[in-house]
């Protein structure tokens, strides 16, 4: 059975443009810090978001998808909200309108107090930890599985609210890697007899799948098609 048939919408993912934390080499992963305007996009990131919006518009036109069918779902962090707003402007969609939806479950992965506002140089240690055990939480932070679980919830909400839409998910590096890992596994999974999205995602949330999320890494401002 072709698992991709369970999806009612088409999906693209977009990592936020280069942010001020990216420029400073800082990990900003808590909601408290992430929503601060001082951590929004850097000038280069605004340009990346503009280009991503133009590329998304081009892909929509190539597929004859009307703008009325577009939905932009985004993380509440300043850098993702800023990115989504730039893209909406490119598409001439009102950012405060019904086609743009902020979703808390699309937020950045919280890496915990040992990493918050510390150097990006700590990322390799986090990802090495993930490869060993994606179910083990970082000290005070989220495991890969924790993030996969809330992203699955977000996806279920989107699928229940929208049908036949082109959905752009604007989020962060780790969450989008993890989301793509899970979506790719749903395509490969032939063991589940269920056509229920939640059941299929539960079946693929295993260590051998989740530990490989770095294979789906995105650079800042990168747009990628995920579900046709």
């Amino acid at each position: 059975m072709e698992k991709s048939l369970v999806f009612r919408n088409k999906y693209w993912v977009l990592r936020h443009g280069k942010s001020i934390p990216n420029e400073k080499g800082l990990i900003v992963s808590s909601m408290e810090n992430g929503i601060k305007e001082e951590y929004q996009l850097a000038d280069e990131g605004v340009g990346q978001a503009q280009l991503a919006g133009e590329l998304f518009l081009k892909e929509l036109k190539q597929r004859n998808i009307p703008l009325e069918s577009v939905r932009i779902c985004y993380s509440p962090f300043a850098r993702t909200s800023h990115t989504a707003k730039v893209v909406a402007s490119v598409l001439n969609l009102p950012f405060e309108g019904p086609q743009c939806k902020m979703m808390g479950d699309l937020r950045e992965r919280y890496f915990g107090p040992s990493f918050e506002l510390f150097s990006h140089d700590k990322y390799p240690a986090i990802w090495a930890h993930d490869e060993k055990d994606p179910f083990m939480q970082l000290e005070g932070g989220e495991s890969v599985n924790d993030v996969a679980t809330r992203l699955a919830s977000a996806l279920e909400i989107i699928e229940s609210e929208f049908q036949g839409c082109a959905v752009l998910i604007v989020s962060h590096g780790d969450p989008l890697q993890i989301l793509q890992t899970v979506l790719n596994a749903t395509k490969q999974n032939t063991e589940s007899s269920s056509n229920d999205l939640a059941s299929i995602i539960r079946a693929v949330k295993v260590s051998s799948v989740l530990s490989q999320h770095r294979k789906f890494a995105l650079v800042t401002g990168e747009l990628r098609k995920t579900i046709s």
Side-chain angles (χ1 to χ4, degrees):
M1 180 171 60
E2 177 56 60
K3 297 301 178 188
S4 63
L5 293 177
V6 302
F7 294 100
R8 309 201 314 171
N9 303 288
K10 301 178 188 297
Y11 288 89
W12 282 259
V13 295
L14 172 61
R15 184 181 174 192
H16 62 79
K18 189 172 186 179
S19 66
I20 292 171
N22 291 142
E23 282 196 338
K24 291 183 175 180
L26 289 179
I27 295 175
V28 177
S29 67
S30 74
M31 182 73 83
E32 180 184 2
N33 289 321
I35 61 174
K36 294 178 180 177
E37 281 196 22
E38 65 193 88
Y39 295 132
Q40 61 181 355
L41 295 183
D43 289 343
E44 182 181 345
V46 175
Q48 290 176 338
Q50 177 84 20
L51 289 173
E54 292 169 0
L55 178 58
F56 185 45
L57 183 58
K58 181 179 179 181
E59 293 198 13
L60 294 171
K61 288 180 177 178
Q62 288 174 343
R63 292 170 172 80
N64 294 314
I65 297 173
L67 290 176
E68 292 77 16
S69 296
V70 173
R71 300 292 183 271
I72 300 176
C73 299
Y74 60 96
S75 155
F77 276 44
R79 55 190 184 262
T80 37
S81 298
H82 196 177
T83 301
K85 191 171 187 178
V86 171
V87 172
S89 178
V90 172
L91 302 182
N92 200 27
L93 298 178
F95 187 60
E96 304 298 334
Q99 289 178 258
C100 297
K101 180 180 180 69
M102 183 175 71
M103 301 185 71
D105 280 340
L106 298 179
R107 67 188 181 275
E108 174 66 291
R109 177 185 181 183
Y110 179 49
F111 295 107
S114 298
F115 298 95
E116 186 69 8
L117 300 181
F118 283 94
S119 171
H120 278 184
D121 294 342
K122 289 179 174 279
Y123 278 135
I126 295 169
W127 295 325
H129 170 95
D130 292 346
E131 283 193 36
K132 291 178 182 177
D133 188 353
F135 287 84
M136 179 71 75
Q137 291 180 330
L138 301 164
E139 185 179 346
E142 291 184 293
S143 69
V144 176
N145 182 63
D146 291 335
V147 178
T149 298
R150 63 173 165 84
L151 291 173
S153 296
L155 195 60
E156 288 176 50
I157 290 170
I158 293 169
E159 283 286 290
S160 68
E161 291 188 5
F162 307 133
Q163 183 171 5
C165 292
V167 179
L168 177 66
I169 295 177
V170 184
S171 187
H172 308 261
D174 268 45
L176 290 180
Q177 291 167 191
I178 295 166
L179 177 62
Q180 289 176 91
T181 301
V182 170
L183 290 177
N184 183 67
T186 66
K187 297 178 190 177
Q188 308 302 323
N189 179 40
T190 56
E191 296 179 6
S192 175
S193 59
S194 173
N195 196 45
D196 174 62
L197 178 59
S199 298
I200 294 170
I201 290 177
R202 277 196 299 272
V204 301
K205 281 199 308 168
V206 295
S207 183
S208 60
V209 170
L210 297 180
S211 64
Q212 301 302 304
H213 69 87
R214 283 293 292 159
K215 292 181 178 179
F216 293 90
L218 296 154
V219 298
T220 55
E222 183 175 353
L223 176 75
R224 188 177 292 170
K225 184 81 168 67
T226 56
I227 296 292
S228 300

